[in-house]
Amino acid sequence: MAEENKKHFLYKKHFPQWKAILERKGKQTKEIFETAVFVLDTNSLLAPYNVGKDKIEQIAEIYRKLILEQRLYVPEHALLEFAKNRSSRISDLFTNIDNQLSSLHQVKKFEYPILEGLESYKNMEKDRGEIVEKIKSYKKELTKLKDEIINWNWNDPVTVMYQDEFNENIFITSQLSEEELIKMYNQRIEDEIPPGNKDKLKESNGIGDFLIWQSMLELGKKISKDVIFVSNDEKNDWLVKGNQKSISTRYELVDEYYRYTNGYNFVTINFNDFLENHGLAIKILDKFKELENFIEKNYDHINYTLTNLNQVERIITDFIGYYNSENNHIKESDFHEYVNGFKGSYKNEYFGTEEWSFYFDYFYIFDELLTEIVLLNDEIIYQNHRMRRDTRTDQVKLLALCQEFIDRYSTFPLLQ
């Protein structure tokens, strides 16, 4: 078939049995909730990282009950994605604590002996001493938190919960060979059949959504049950959306599951609704997912901030790489422009949102470091020109600050 004719019959590929469209009697989620099986997506496995210990135990109780009833399943590929993304969650948690430590400043001593006889001066000194001790105590506890996270290894509360509650019987995977799955996935991309067709440009794991979907199809056919997919994924290849809000499961998926299982229902719900319908009325805000959505919606504005910061990182990296007695300061003429572009944009009120505030600590640290770097760099340039004093100490400090900037930059995956 000529290339230009391949898409003439896409609807036939999406809905190969036209009678099924009229035969299927759809049920609402609440009608199948008591009998359907639940399948957890990767983001649902990651969601408990955003709640406390008590809530994790309550979630474990829900899982325990469903597993006993043989009504909870996890795609093997979702567990693999969990293992990959869990490391990022722990890394971001550690980095935020580390940034919090770095952003704490000591209260400088206010020394004016002539004021020592004044009562207000005495009170101020007393308050300063108490604040200094509180800051020391706060730093000590933050350091303990960092050490405890390091010692978690693979024993963080969420992973331990899964180790305790999950067993090998709940994990599902396709029985098809890798070659068969790849062939099917490529055909679905060509025919624009969801899910996963929107991920075709991903360099890795583009097939992930399809692997999860195929495992659910095979599960449904094997056990002859309705499936409720618990996922916070709001991409268009899973959900129909209106005014950027999720409305319902895509009909292509509903229809394919109905045909593949000979008459059973497939619906998707988010993790909060899943918990609420099991008697746990908590609202879990997935900061990582919220940020992804925020970036997607506001890409142009955010891209300006990150582009400037990327350019700053490039210039500083080059400076460190070529540093010597003659190249003892940052010479690129655009350096100030990029620094000011970053400083001006990340502080813009446009970014004063809950989603963006999650990463504000990173930008605050970058801002502080760049302020010191610019001042020290300008001082070295000035002294090199005036020849009034030796700047070797300044150069060592400048190199150290630049290296600290690069080290912190490397821990911030959003910028990569």
Coordinates of all heavy atoms in Angstrom, one line a residue, residues 187-247:
Q187 N 3.6 -1.4 15.0 CA 2.4 -1.3 14.2 C 1.3 -0.4 14.8 O 0.7 0.4 14.1 CB 1.7 -2.7 14.0 CG 0.6 -2.8 13.1 CD 0.9 -2.4 11.7 OE1 1.9 -3.0 11.1 NE2 0.2 -1.4 11.1
R188 N 1.2 -0.4 16.1 CA 0.3 0.5 16.8 C 0.7 2.0 16.6 O -0.1 2.9 16.5 CB 0.2 0.2 18.3 CG -0.5 -1.2 18.5 CD -0.4 -1.6 20.0 NE -1.3 -0.8 20.8 CZ -2.5 -1.3 21.2 NH1 -2.9 -2.5 20.9 NH2 -3.3 -0.5 22.0
I189 N 2.0 2.2 16.6 CA 2.5 3.6 16.4 C 2.1 4.0 15.0 O 1.6 5.1 14.8 CB 4.1 3.7 16.6 CG1 4.4 3.6 18.0 CG2 4.6 5.0 16.0 CD1 5.9 3.5 18.3
E190 N 2.3 3.1 14.0 CA 2.0 3.5 12.6 C 0.5 3.7 12.5 O 0.1 4.6 11.7 CB 2.4 2.3 11.7 CG 2.2 2.6 10.2 CD 2.7 1.5 9.3 OE1 3.9 1.1 9.6 OE2 2.0 1.1 8.4
D191 N -0.3 3.0 13.2 CA -1.8 3.1 13.1 C -2.3 4.1 14.2 O -3.6 4.3 14.3 CB -2.4 1.7 13.4 CG -2.1 0.8 12.2 OD1 -1.8 1.2 11.1 OD2 -2.2 -0.5 12.5
E192 N -1.4 4.7 14.9 CA -1.8 5.7 15.9 C -2.8 5.2 17.0 O -3.8 5.9 17.4 CB -2.4 7.0 15.3 CG -1.4 7.6 14.3 CD -2.0 8.8 13.6 OE1 -3.1 9.3 13.9 OE2 -1.3 9.3 12.7
I193 N -2.6 4.0 17.4 CA -3.4 3.3 18.4 C -2.8 3.5 19.8 O -1.7 3.1 20.1 CB -3.6 1.8 18.1 CG1 -4.2 1.6 16.7 CG2 -4.4 1.1 19.2 CD1 -4.3 0.2 16.3
P194 N -3.6 4.1 20.7 CA -3.1 4.2 22.1 C -3.2 2.9 22.9 O -3.9 2.0 22.4 CB -4.1 5.3 22.7 CG -5.4 5.1 22.0 CD -4.9 4.7 20.6
P195 N -2.5 2.8 24.0 CA -1.6 3.8 24.6 C -0.1 3.6 24.1 O 0.2 2.6 23.5 CB -1.7 3.5 26.1 CG -1.8 2.0 26.1 CD -2.6 1.6 24.9
G196 N 0.7 4.6 24.4 CA 2.1 4.5 24.0 C 2.4 5.2 22.7 O 3.6 5.5 22.5
N197 N 1.4 5.4 21.9 CA 1.7 6.0 20.6 C 2.2 7.5 20.7 O 2.9 8.0 19.8 CB 0.5 6.0 19.7 CG -0.7 6.7 20.3 OD1 -1.1 6.4 21.4 ND2 -1.3 7.6 19.5
K198 N 1.9 8.1 21.9 CA 2.4 9.5 22.1 C 3.9 9.5 22.6 O 4.5 10.5 22.6 CB 1.5 10.2 23.1 CG 0.1 10.3 22.7 CD -0.1 11.2 21.6 CE -1.6 11.4 21.3 NZ -1.9 12.3 20.2
D199 N 4.4 8.3 22.9 CA 5.8 8.2 23.4 C 6.8 7.8 22.4 O 7.9 7.4 22.7 CB 5.8 7.2 24.6 CG 5.0 7.7 25.8 OD1 4.9 8.9 26.0 OD2 4.4 6.8 26.5
K200 N 6.4 7.8 21.1 CA 7.2 7.2 20.1 C 8.6 8.0 19.9 O 9.5 7.4 19.4 CB 6.5 7.2 18.8 CG 6.0 8.6 18.3 CD 5.2 8.4 17.0 CE 4.7 9.8 16.5 NZ 3.8 9.6 15.3
L201 N 8.6 9.2 20.4 CA 9.9 10.0 20.2 C 10.8 9.8 21.4 O 11.9 10.3 21.4 CB 9.5 11.5 20.1 CG 8.7 11.8 18.8 CD1 8.5 13.3 18.7 CD2 9.5 11.4 17.5
K202 N 10.4 9.1 22.5 CA 11.2 8.9 23.6 C 12.4 8.0 23.2 O 12.3 7.1 22.4 CB 10.5 8.1 24.7 CG 9.6 9.0 25.6 CD 9.0 8.1 26.7 CE 8.1 9.0 27.6 NZ 7.6 8.1 28.8
E203 N 13.6 8.4 23.7 CA 14.8 7.7 23.4 C 14.9 6.3 24.1 O 15.5 5.4 23.6 CB 16.1 8.5 23.7 CG 16.2 9.7 22.9 CD 17.5 10.5 23.2 OE1 18.3 10.0 24.0 OE2 17.7 11.6 22.6
S204 N 14.2 6.2 25.3 CA 14.2 5.0 26.0 C 12.8 4.8 26.7 O 12.2 5.8 27.0 CB 15.3 4.9 27.1 OG 15.1 5.9 28.0
N205 N 12.4 3.5 26.8 CA 11.2 3.2 27.5 C 9.9 3.7 26.8 O 8.9 3.9 27.4 CB 11.2 3.6 28.9 CG 10.1 2.9 29.8 OD1 9.9 1.7 29.6 ND2 9.5 3.6 30.6
G206 N 10.0 4.1 25.5 CA 8.8 4.5 24.8 C 7.8 3.4 24.7 O 6.6 3.7 24.7
I207 N 8.2 2.2 24.8 CA 7.2 1.1 24.8 C 6.6 0.8 26.1 O 5.7 -0.1 26.2 CB 8.0 -0.2 24.3 CG1 7.0 -1.3 23.7 CG2 8.9 -0.8 25.4 CD1 7.7 -2.4 23.1
G208 N 7.0 1.5 27.2 CA 6.5 1.2 28.5 C 5.0 1.1 28.7 O 4.5 0.2 29.3
D209 N 4.3 2.1 28.2 CA 2.8 2.2 28.4 C 2.2 1.0 27.7 O 1.2 0.4 28.2 CB 2.3 3.5 27.9 CG 2.4 4.6 28.9 OD1 2.9 4.3 30.0 OD2 2.0 5.7 28.6
F210 N 2.7 0.6 26.5 CA 2.1 -0.5 25.8 C 2.4 -1.8 26.5 O 1.5 -2.7 26.6 CB 2.7 -0.6 24.4 CG 2.4 -1.8 23.7 CD1 1.1 -2.1 23.3 CD2 3.4 -2.8 23.3 CE1 0.7 -3.3 22.7 CE2 3.0 -4.0 22.7 CZ 1.7 -4.2 22.4
L211 N 3.5 -2.0 27.1 CA 3.8 -3.2 27.9 C 2.9 -3.4 29.0 O 2.4 -4.5 29.3 CB 5.3 -3.2 28.4 CG 6.4 -3.2 27.3 CD1 7.7 -3.2 28.0 CD2 6.2 -4.5 26.4
I212 N 2.6 -2.3 29.7 CA 1.6 -2.3 30.8 C 0.2 -2.6 30.3 O -0.5 -3.4 30.9 CB 1.7 -0.9 31.6 CG1 3.0 -0.8 32.3 CG2 0.5 -0.8 32.6 CD1 3.3 0.6 33.0
W213 N -0.1 -2.0 29.2 CA -1.5 -2.2 28.6 C -1.6 -3.7 28.2 O -2.6 -4.3 28.5 CB -1.7 -1.3 27.5 CG -2.9 -1.5 26.7 CD1 -3.0 -1.8 25.4 CD2 -4.3 -1.4 27.1 NE1 -4.3 -2.0 25.0 CE2 -5.1 -1.7 26.0 CE3 -4.8 -1.1 28.4 CZ2 -6.5 -1.7 26.1 CZ3 -6.2 -1.1 28.5 CH2 -7.0 -1.4 27.4
Q214 N -0.6 -4.2 27.5 CA -0.7 -5.6 27.0 C -0.8 -6.6 28.2 O -1.6 -7.6 28.1 CB 0.5 -5.9 26.2 CG 0.4 -7.3 25.5 CD -0.7 -7.5 24.6 OE1 -1.2 -6.5 23.9 NE2 -1.3 -8.7 24.5
S215 N -0.1 -6.3 29.3 CA -0.2 -7.2 30.5 C -1.6 -7.1 31.1 O -2.1 -8.1 31.6 CB 0.8 -6.8 31.5 OG 0.6 -5.5 32.1
M216 N -2.3 -5.9 31.0 CA -3.6 -5.8 31.5 C -4.6 -6.6 30.6 O -5.6 -7.2 31.1 CB -4.0 -4.4 31.7 CG -3.4 -3.7 32.9 SD -4.1 -2.1 33.3 CE -3.5 -1.1 32.0
L217 N -4.4 -6.5 29.3 CA -5.3 -7.2 28.4 C -5.2 -8.7 28.7 O -6.3 -9.4 28.8 CB -4.9 -6.9 27.0 CG -5.2 -5.5 26.4 CD1 -4.6 -5.4 25.0 CD2 -6.7 -5.3 26.3
E218 N -4.0 -9.2 28.8 CA -3.9 -10.7 29.0 C -4.4 -11.1 30.4 O -5.0 -12.2 30.5 CB -2.4 -11.0 28.8 CG -1.9 -10.8 27.4 CD -0.5 -11.2 27.2 OE1 0.0 -12.1 27.9 OE2 0.2 -10.6 26.3
L219 N -4.2 -10.2 31.4 CA -4.8 -10.5 32.7 C -6.3 -10.6 32.6 O -6.9 -11.6 33.1 CB -4.4 -9.5 33.7 CG -5.1 -9.5 35.1 CD1 -4.6 -10.7 35.9 CD2 -4.9 -8.2 35.9
G220 N -7.0 -9.6 32.0 CA -8.4 -9.6 31.9 C -9.0 -10.8 31.2 O -10.0 -11.3 31.6
K221 N -8.3 -11.2 30.1 CA -8.7 -12.4 29.4 C -8.6 -13.7 30.2 O -9.5 -14.6 30.2 CB -7.9 -12.5 28.1 CG -8.5 -13.6 27.2 CD -7.8 -13.5 25.8 CE -8.4 -14.5 24.8 NZ -7.8 -14.4 23.5
K222 N -7.5 -13.7 31.0 CA -7.3 -14.9 31.8 C -8.3 -15.1 33.0 O -8.8 -16.2 33.2 CB -5.8 -14.9 32.4 CG -5.5 -16.0 33.3 CD -4.0 -15.8 33.8 CE -3.7 -17.0 34.7 NZ -2.3 -16.8 35.3
I223 N -8.6 -14.0 33.7 CA -9.4 -14.1 34.9 C -10.9 -13.7 34.6 O -11.7 -13.8 35.5 CB -8.8 -13.3 36.0 CG1 -8.9 -11.8 35.7 CG2 -7.4 -13.7 36.4 CD1 -8.4 -10.9 36.8
S224 N -11.2 -13.2 33.4 CA -12.5 -12.8 33.0 C -13.1 -11.8 34.1 O -14.1 -12.1 34.7 CB -13.5 -14.0 32.9 OG -13.0 -14.8 31.8
K225 N -12.4 -10.6 34.2 CA -12.8 -9.6 35.2 C -12.8 -8.2 34.6 O -12.0 -8.0 33.7 CB -11.9 -9.7 36.4 CG -12.1 -10.9 37.3 CD -13.1 -10.7 38.4 CE -13.1 -11.9 39.4 NZ -14.0 -11.6 40.5
D226 N -13.6 -7.3 35.1 CA -13.4 -5.9 34.8 C -12.1 -5.5 35.5 O -11.7 -5.9 36.6 CB -14.6 -5.1 35.4 CG -15.9 -5.5 34.8 OD1 -15.9 -5.8 33.6 OD2 -16.9 -5.5 35.5
V227 N -11.4 -4.5 34.9 CA -10.2 -3.9 35.4 C -10.3 -2.5 35.6 O -10.9 -1.7 34.8 CB -9.0 -4.2 34.5 CG1 -7.9 -3.2 34.7 CG2 -8.5 -5.6 34.6
I228 N -9.9 -2.0 36.8 CA -9.8 -0.6 37.1 C -8.3 -0.3 37.2 O -7.6 -0.8 38.1 CB -10.5 -0.2 38.4 CG1 -12.0 -0.5 38.3 CG2 -10.3 1.3 38.7 CD1 -12.8 -0.3 39.6
F229 N -7.8 0.6 36.3 CA -6.4 0.9 36.2 C -6.2 2.2 37.1 O -6.8 3.2 36.8 CB -6.0 1.2 34.8 CG -4.6 1.5 34.5 CD1 -3.6 0.8 35.2 CD2 -4.2 2.5 33.6 CE1 -2.2 1.0 34.9 CE2 -2.8 2.7 33.4 CZ -1.9 2.0 34.0
V230 N -5.4 2.1 38.1 CA -5.2 3.2 39.1 C -3.9 3.9 38.6 O -2.8 3.5 38.8 CB -5.0 2.6 40.5 CG1 -4.9 3.8 41.5 CG2 -6.1 1.7 40.9
S231 N -4.1 5.1 38.0 CA -3.0 5.8 37.4 C -3.3 7.3 37.5 O -4.4 7.8 37.4 CB -2.9 5.4 36.0 OG -1.9 6.2 35.3
N232 N -2.2 8.1 37.8 CA -2.2 9.5 37.7 C -1.7 10.1 36.4 O -1.5 11.3 36.3 CB -1.4 10.1 38.9 CG -2.0 9.9 40.2 OD1 -3.2 9.8 40.3 ND2 -1.2 9.7 41.2
D233 N -1.5 9.2 35.5 CA -1.0 9.6 34.1 C -2.2 10.3 33.4 O -3.2 9.7 33.2 CB -0.6 8.4 33.3 CG 0.3 8.8 32.1 OD1 0.1 9.9 31.6 OD2 1.1 8.0 31.6
E234 N -2.0 11.5 33.0 CA -3.0 12.3 32.4 C -2.8 12.6 30.9 O -3.3 13.5 30.3 CB -3.2 13.6 33.1 CG -3.7 13.5 34.5 CD -4.0 14.8 35.2 OE1 -3.6 15.8 34.7 OE2 -4.6 14.7 36.3
K235 N -1.9 11.7 30.3 CA -1.6 11.9 28.9 C -2.8 11.6 28.0 O -3.6 10.8 28.4 CB -0.4 11.1 28.4 CG 0.9 11.5 29.1 CD 2.1 11.0 28.3 CE 2.2 9.5 28.2 NZ 2.5 8.8 29.4
N236 N -2.8 12.2 26.8 CA -4.0 12.0 25.9 C -4.1 10.6 25.4 O -5.2 10.2 24.9 CB -3.9 12.9 24.7 CG -4.1 14.4 25.2 OD1 -4.8 14.6 26.2 ND2 -3.5 15.3 24.5
D237 N -3.1 9.7 25.5 CA -3.2 8.4 25.0 C -3.9 7.4 26.0 O -4.1 6.3 25.7 CB -1.9 7.8 24.5 CG -0.8 7.9 25.6 OD1 -1.0 8.5 26.6 OD2 0.3 7.3 25.4
W238 N -4.2 8.0 27.2 CA -5.0 7.2 28.2 C -6.3 7.8 28.5 O -7.3 7.1 28.7 CB -4.2 7.1 29.6 CG -3.0 6.2 29.6 CD1 -1.7 6.6 29.6 CD2 -3.0 4.8 29.7 NE1 -0.9 5.5 29.6 CE2 -1.7 4.4 29.7 CE3 -4.1 3.8 29.7 CZ2 -1.3 3.0 29.8 CZ3 -3.7 2.5 29.8 CH2 -2.4 2.1 29.8
L239 N -6.4 9.1 28.4 CA -7.6 9.8 28.8 C -8.2 10.8 27.7 O -7.4 11.4 27.0 CB -7.4 10.6 30.1 CG -7.0 9.8 31.3 CD1 -6.5 10.7 32.4 CD2 -8.2 8.9 31.8
V240 N -9.5 11.0 27.7 CA -10.1 12.0 26.9 C -10.1 13.3 27.8 O -10.4 13.2 29.0 CB -11.5 11.7 26.6 CG1 -12.2 12.8 25.9 CG2 -11.5 10.4 25.7
K241 N -9.7 14.4 27.3 CA -9.6 15.6 28.1 C -10.4 16.7 27.5 O -10.6 16.8 26.3 CB -8.1 16.0 28.2 CG -7.2 15.0 28.8 CD -5.8 15.4 28.9 CE -5.5 16.2 30.1 NZ -4.1 16.5 30.3
G242 N -10.9 17.6 28.4 CA -11.6 18.8 27.9 C -11.2 20.0 28.8 O -11.1 19.9 30.0
N243 N -10.8 21.1 28.1 CA -10.3 22.3 28.8 C -9.2 21.9 29.8 O -9.1 22.3 30.9 CB -11.4 22.9 29.6 CG -11.1 24.3 30.0 OD1 -10.3 25.0 29.4 ND2 -11.7 24.8 31.1
Q244 N -8.3 21.0 29.3 CA -7.1 20.5 30.0 C -7.5 19.7 31.3 O -6.6 19.5 32.1 CB -6.2 21.7 30.4 CG -5.6 22.4 29.2 CD -4.6 23.5 29.5 OE1 -4.6 23.9 30.7 NE2 -3.8 23.8 28.6
K245 N -8.7 19.2 31.4 CA -9.1 18.4 32.5 C -9.5 17.0 32.0 O -10.0 16.9 30.9 CB -10.3 19.0 33.2 CG -10.0 20.3 33.9 CD -11.2 20.8 34.7 CE -10.9 22.1 35.5 NZ -10.8 23.3 34.6
S246 N -9.1 16.0 32.8 CA -9.5 14.6 32.4 C -11.0 14.4 32.5 O -11.6 14.7 33.6 CB -8.7 13.6 33.3 OG -7.3 13.8 33.2
I247 N -11.5 13.7 31.5 CA -13.0 13.5 31.5 C -13.3 12.0 31.7 O -14.0 11.6 32.5 CB -13.6 14.0 30.2 CG1 -13.4 15.5 30.0 CG2 -15.1 13.6 30.1 CD1 -13.9 16.0 28.7

